[in-house]
Amino acid sequence: MSDYRDSRRAPGKYGDSEARHFLDVDDLTAEELEAVLGVAAEYKSEFESGVPHDDFDRKTLGMLFQKPSTRTRVSFETGMTQLGGHAIFLGEDDIQLGRGEPLKDTSRALSRYVDVLMGRVFKHANAVELARYADVPVVNGLTDDAHPCQTLADLLTIREHEDGFEDVSAAWIGDGNNVAQSFALGCALTDVDLTVATPEGYGIDDEVVERARELGGDPTLTDDPVEAATDADVIYTDVWISMGQEDERDVRMDAFDGFQVCEELLEHADDASVMHCLPAHRGEEITDDVIESDSAVVWDQAENRLHAQKGLLVWLLDQV
């Protein structure tokens, strides 16, 4: 993950642009995160009551995708529509990026057309490159090292089901991947007590742990899933084999033996809510009976991608 560590030390962090960018959760302060989640909850409540919004009348979101997506594309596009705006899907092969145009040129050109740019790319350095040369806000829709929009939805879900963040304990069980890394930062910003259980060699990046501690968090790191799950209010897992890791399948399946979120593991928790960012590999990192149980809040998480991202977008465009 060296490019992730180096990219965050770019001059001026993200270049000379005065636009707000959201490339990882700690681009927000604790107060700003609270504001974004508050706006998201407000929009969700009003949406459920049938209150229309036109905050983004005549505004356009450009959505640049190097990786395929279900929830990211649909939630952003629907969110812009609900806010009165418009979203454009830009696949890598649909624009000149797929024909060799430098990413910085794509970023500068798109900045002349759209009001905000979301990128779902592979390398985190590519998201930084978009932000460095953009004159409009850039949102990280996912990189190999971070998934901050998912964390916003996760935190909104915890906020709803735990009635806030006070005295909440969460357990991440499985791979210390991009979702885990952003979630660790989100827990630090909201004072959620986090324990991360991963097999040796699959933990979250040391630099992310240090950043979480600088934010006031103190994540506990272990290789024991039972230790992490004991008395937890929230248990969170994700796939063991992410996009691009298919050739590691056999090695990873062996490494993650014993890390499955199952009914037996939940017996150690405190009537925990079970979270998963989806898609789930049922029967691998989580059992079918758990994801279909009343403990699972995965569909609330999925829905909250929509509302959390609306809160983020209005904050980025200084509408609140």
Side-chain angles (χ1 to χ4, degrees), residues 24 31 57 78 80 84 91 97-98 116 124-125 131 173 184 191 222 253 279:
D24 212 341
E31 293 74 19
D57 182 36
T78 302
M80 282 298 291
L97 191 62
V116 60
H124 194 84
I173 297 174
D191 292 326
T222 181
M253 290 298 290

Side-chain angles (χ1 to χ4, degrees), residues 228-267:
T230 299
D231 297 329
D233 301 301
V234 175
I235 292 181
Y236 197 168
T237 191
D238 190 13
V239 295
W240 297 337
I241 303 159
S242 298
M243 285 182 285
Q245 297 174 336
E246 289 79 9
D247 59 342
E248 303 174 28
R249 179 176 179 81
D250 291 344
V251 172
R252 283 178 168 267
M253 290 298 290
D254 287 341
F256 287 96
D257 184 36
F259 282 79
Q260 185 184 71
V261 174
C262 57
E263 290 288 355
E264 183 179 355
L265 185 66
L266 293 185
E267 291 176 1

